[in-house]
Amino acid sequence: MQTDGSRPLLRVDGLSKRFPVSPVWYRRSNSFVHAVDGVSFEVARGESFGLVGESGCGKTTTGKLLVRLMDPTCGRIVFDDGDEGPVDVSTLKGKPLKRFRRKAQMIFQDPYESMNPRRTVFDTIVEPLKVQRMGSHLDRLDRVLRMLGLVGLTPARTFLFRYPHELSGGQRQRVAIARAMVIEPSFVVADEPISMLDVSVRAGVMRLMEDLAARLEIGYLYITHDLAAARHTCSRIAVMYLGKIVEIGETETVLQSPKHPYTQALLSAVPVPDPTVTRPPVRIRGGVSPSLDPPARCRFYDRCPIADDFCRDNEHPPLQDKSSGQMASCYRV
Amino acid sequence: MDVQRAPRSVDHSLWRTRLGLAADRLRENWAAFVRARVGVIGLAVIIFYALLAAAHPVLMSTVWDESIYDPVVGYSFDETRQPAPPSLRHPLGTDPLGRDILSQLMFSARSEFMLGLLAAVVTVCIGTMVGAAAAYFGGIVDTILMRLADIMIMMPGISVLIVLSALIGVEHLELGLIIGVLSGFGGTGVVLKSQALSVVVKPYIQAARVAGGGPLHIILVHVVPNLLPLSFLYMMFTVTSAIFSEAVLSFLGLLDIRMSWGLMIHTTESAGYLTQVTEAWWLIFPASLSITLLCSSFYLVGRSLDEVVNPRLRRA
């Protein structure tokens, strides 16, 4: 769902991250963990793009690559929010990288660990403004107060000088969101922002994020393993398996009529709150295969219920359009 | 300490609120420190010696005659026999060279403090930066710093100091720097690195990087403050080891200094009184007791601080 069909906010092209498995730093490794392997997708301005998959499939690594918490092994990340020309994030360094950091922020999963316990709420939220040298001292105070109001921590003044241990989990996550939003980024990676929260405050935090996205025109990369949350928030999703995107498309179409056998299995594992419904049996076998030097065949081959010799003898299948914009990487569907 | 306190609002100005917060934190920590008890005893002894050290120049310029009471070149003409036992004029007696023991004791206290604090500050500055840098950068920086630490730990401290004092004239200043460098790049640096390793993997470090903070910003703003409690603790232990090393070296007569507690024992020993404790107890006890007391009280303060900064050790 691109807003104007022209240039997307973010275009990821063949992004890969391999971790060398080597006991010592001076010896080159021949063995690699393929955490993210040739991932490509686009995020439009103001769009929420979901990245779902089980743990260890490379979702978080992808998110960290996009905000350059890690350096990609190869691939391009073209970022273009309309202010300045498109930049290739994957090779940024020094000053341009610091400028990019004004545009792209991240919200972390664990609100208990994502705030320095020795710094007050004010210190935490003002940090991006301070390191980016934006505004005078009073301007910053003003923006922090406004941000606290926006994330619903009111009256803002009573929260300014509290320490993290004086806040609840939901309040902390609101502070973390405020920190990410205070420099008004155009792209935010949200890494399972609600998974550590109490169910009772999840909806509130989710609504807050949507609200801010609409108000500040933020594009989200929403990383989650919770299909219900993804359905609620994201207009398009990509399903990841072992470092590869196996299916990508409009959220509703992907979830209503999944094409890839992995997506089908994932959906059949979602509990249905109705005791009379008999769920279709999960048809996949075994566990996730190791991502250490995977063999050159379909990544899902070991577990796939419909795989045949062709899947074993050929490379991992490319993403193909299966029905009006819904892409899946499978030879058999 | 998870004491619930009333939320502070920004009624005045920012820095007043911050001062208030710092005061709150200090109060909580002080309460935990007092609960640990031994630290209070240690602190009392330290304050006692600090007062002694501060009183010396005052006494010298008012009641004490310089030619008699000078700790190094004074001579007590009134006594017929040196060393003289304690009397009203010389509360702790005189040494074999006719100098007032109390004056020597008080004079030395000041340099012991200066030596201890210098060594401690140097240790902590080096140790904190080494630990934070090794943990944050990892890789080759870590390897170099930690192999250097291995070398420092490997060196037998006192023997190295003996060699160094034979090669160059070592005074209090040099001694403090040497001890500080040895322990800062050595043991203290390693301990602080292990603590820093648990800090650098926290998501708030990543959040700071995403915000655009460089290595210096992250180390100074996020890593070092979380190391400070532990480095403060090691500061106390360094004071102890610095004072003790100084006493050993002065006793061996290897330091190029005018007066110290170790030197007082050295004087006693070279005059042949060290084994005659019953006859000339005032020659040995004041100095050796002071060394023991001051060293152990810094250690006790360190133990109490350990309970303050390490919640697992705290009593409920």
Side-chain angles (χ1 to χ4, degrees):
Chain A
M1 194 172 71
Q2 289 176 25
T3 40
D4 51 1
S6 58
R7 294 172 312 185
L9 173 67
L10 191 79
R11 207 182 74 238
V12 179
D13 198 6
L15 188 68
S16 298
K17 178 68 182 176
R18 287 181 211 125
F19 293 104
V21 185
S22 171
V24 277
W25 55 268
Y26 49 81
R27 195 180 302 153
R28 280 190 63 179
S29 171
N30 333 320
S31 223
F32 294 92
V33 170
H34 294 234
V36 177
D37 197 357
V39 162
S40 307
F41 58 87
E42 289 180 355
V43 181
R45 269 164 226 164
E47 180 196 36
S48 286
F49 183 82
L51 204 53
V52 300
E54 58 197 298
S55 30
C57 72
K59 300 170 297 202
T60 301
T61 307
T62 308
K64 286 183 175 173
L65 289 171
L66 295 191
V67 293
R68 279 297 297 277
L69 270 174
M70 290 176 184
D71 298 336
T73 312
C74 57
R76 276 155 53 84
I77 306 164
V78 179
F79 178 82
D80 179 11
D81 70 342
D83 279 2
E84 342 174 11
V87 282
D88 185 0
V89 177
S90 58
T91 54
L92 282 183
K93 268 196 202 99
K95 279 241 170 67
L97 179 60
K98 196 165 173 176
R99 283 198 66 76
F100 165 71
R101 297 217 182 279
R102 292 187 185 184
K103 312 277 182 59
Q105 283 294 310
M106 182 156 179
I107 298 168
F108 294 86
Q109 177 174 13
D110 186 349
Y112 294 87
E113 297 269 275
S114 68
M115 293 171 71
N116 188 336
R118 307 198 152 261
R119 313 200 83 207
T120 60
V121 168
F122 173 70
D123 292 326
T124 299
I125 300 180
V126 85
E127 182 172 28
L129 295 174
K130 231 174 179 170
V131 295
Q132 297 284 359
R133 303 230 165 77
M134 291 165 95
S136 71
H137 185 74
L138 280 178
D139 289 345
R140 288 187 209 140
L141 177 63
D142 202 47
R143 281 174 83 160
V144 171
L145 285 173
R146 206 148 24 112
M147 211 56 230
L148 277 172
L150 277 182
V151 297
L153 293 176
T154 46
R157 281 173 177 270
T158 62
F159 279 94
L160 269 191
F161 290 101
R162 289 212 196 165
Y163 284 99
H165 70 84
E166 297 170 309
L167 304 175
S168 70
Q171 287 173 330
R172 285 182 207 211
Q173 199 60 310
R174 284 166 192 270
V175 172
I177 292 171
R179 166 178 60 192
M181 305 294 181
V182 75
I183 48 175
E184 294 171 9
S186 43
F187 175 60
V188 170
V189 172
D191 185 5
E192 311 219 19
I194 57 166
S195 69
M196 301 277 287
L197 299 180
D198 241 30
V199 179
S200 54
V201 296
R202 281 187 184 180
V205 171
M206 248 156 82
R207 223 174 296 123
L208 166 68
M209 287 178 60
E210 280 161 31
D211 196 42
L212 287 172
R215 214 188 273 241
L216 305 171
E217 249 231 319
I218 293 169
Y220 277 118
L221 179 78
Y222 194 90
I223 299 170
T224 183
H225 57 251
D226 181 351
L227 290 174
R231 185 175 200 166
H232 184 262
T233 329
C234 307
S235 50
R236 288 192 314 135
I237 61 169
V239 180
M240 271 186 91
Y241 182 78
L242 269 185
K244 294 268 192 196
I245 287 181
V246 293
E247 184 153 6
I248 186 168
E250 307 281 320
T251 310
E252 279 309 310
T253 17
V254 170
L255 296 184
Q256 293 298 337
S257 60
K259 296 282 184 266
H260 196 280
Y262 177 67
T263 318
Q264 289 166 358
L266 203 62
L267 278 165
S268 72
V270 174
V272 184
D274 181 352
T276 59
V277 171
T278 33
R279 293 196 286 155
V282 178
R283 293 187 303 150
I284 60 173
R285 319 179 279 267
V288 184
S289 5
S291 51
L292 182 68
D293 299 322
R297 60 173 176 232
C298 176
R299 288 289 164 87
F300 195 54
Y301 174 79
D302 293 336
R303 307 176 74 187
C304 188
I306 55 169
D308 58 13
D309 288 353
F310 186 80
C311 303
R312 189 188 57 214
D313 299 336
N314 284 280
E315 291 277 318
H316 184 83
L319 278 170
Q320 290 161 331
D321 202 324
K322 300 294 180 187
S323 77
S324 62
Q326 188 181 0
M327 319 251 280
S329 69
C330 187
Y331 293 121
R332 300 286 316 276
V333 286
Chain B
M1 200 71 314
D2 234 38
V3 177
Q4 200 58 48
R5 46 176 184 250
R8 287 175 179 272
S9 61
V10 234
D11 294 334
H12 323 292
S13 55
L14 286 181
W15 65 267
R16 272 179 78 174
T17 316
R18 278 178 196 279
L19 275 186
L21 281 173
D24 280 355
R25 186 159 255 192
L26 207 65
R27 254 197 299 282
E28 282 168 17
N29 287 340
W30 174 250
F33 183 78
V34 170
R35 254 197 307 283
R37 296 244 173 72
V38 284
V40 183
I41 300 170
L43 200 62
V45 175
I46 291 171
I47 290 172
F48 171 69
Y49 275 100
L51 288 178
L52 275 191
H56 186 262
V58 179
L59 284 175
M60 284 304 281
S61 59
T62 53
V63 283
W64 281 354
D65 182 350
E66 221 171 292
S67 61
I68 297 173
Y69 287 96
D70 187 280
V72 185
V73 297
Y75 186 84
S76 174
F77 300 97
D78 310 314
E79 305 296 336
T80 49
R81 189 182 140 256
Q82 310 288 2
S87 61
L88 267 183
R89 248 196 308 273
H90 302 290
L92 289 176
T94 60
D95 78 346
L97 302 176
R99 301 176 291 191
D100 185 77
I101 299 258
L102 181 62
S103 171
Q104 291 183 332
L105 200 71
M106 291 168 76
F107 177 81
S108 307
R110 181 174 48 179
S111 44
E112 304 290 350
F113 269 109
M114 283 183 345
L115 167 79
L117 288 181
L118 176 68
V121 168
V122 172
T123 302
V124 162
C125 289
I126 296 178
T128 310
M129 286 325 283
V130 164
Y136 182 76
F137 293 109
I140 191 158
V141 178
D142 182 30
T143 308
I144 291 172
L145 287 175
M146 288 304 109
R147 293 302 81 77
L148 188 68
D150 288 342
I151 294 171
M152 294 292 183
I153 293 171
M154 216 172 59
M155 284 194 196
I158 295 288
S159 323
V160 169
L161 287 170
I162 290 174
V163 174
L164 280 176
S165 55
L167 290 176
I168 51 170
V170 176
E171 289 175 54
H172 279 124
L173 182 68
E174 286 88 346
L175 185 64
L177 288 176
I178 293 169
I179 294 175
V181 168
L182 275 180
S183 130
F185 278 110
T188 308
V190 174
V191 173
L192 290 175
K193 181 209 156 188
S194 69
Q195 175 79 8
L197 277 178
S198 71
V199 176
V200 295
V201 294
K202 291 278 161 69
Y204 58 79
I205 301 289
Q206 298 184 344
R209 279 178 63 201
V210 173
L216 197 66
H217 166 83
I218 289 173
I219 285 180
L220 290 182
V221 173
H222 292 288
V223 183
V224 170
N226 283 294
L227 294 184
L228 271 189
L230 196 67
S231 46
F232 207 63
L233 176 68
Y234 274 83
M235 214 165 143
M236 295 298 142
F237 296 150
T238 315
V239 174
T240 302
S241 76
I243 293 177
F244 186 73
S245 316
E246 191 268 358
V248 171
L249 290 176
S250 320
F251 174 70
L252 296 173
L254 288 167
L255 289 185
D256 198 6
I257 52 179
R258 295 179 70 216
M259 185 49 62
S260 80
W261 294 340
L263 206 58
M264 289 164 72
I265 303 176
H266 173 71
T267 313
T268 314
E269 195 264 349
S270 52
Y273 285 98
L274 191 62
T275 48
Q276 300 168 12
V277 183
T278 42
E279 277 171 48
W281 57 268
W282 65 91
L283 291 181
I284 301 160
F285 279 128
S288 47
L289 210 62
S290 296
I291 294 169
T292 315
L293 274 179
L294 197 59
C295 283
S296 47
S297 50
F298 271 108
Y299 182 78
L300 290 181
V301 169
R303 291 298 314 164
S304 287
L305 282 180
D306 201 13
E307 284 195 37
V308 174
V309 303
N310 194 344
R312 270 177 307 173
L313 292 178
R314 268 188 210 171
R315 280 159 233 182

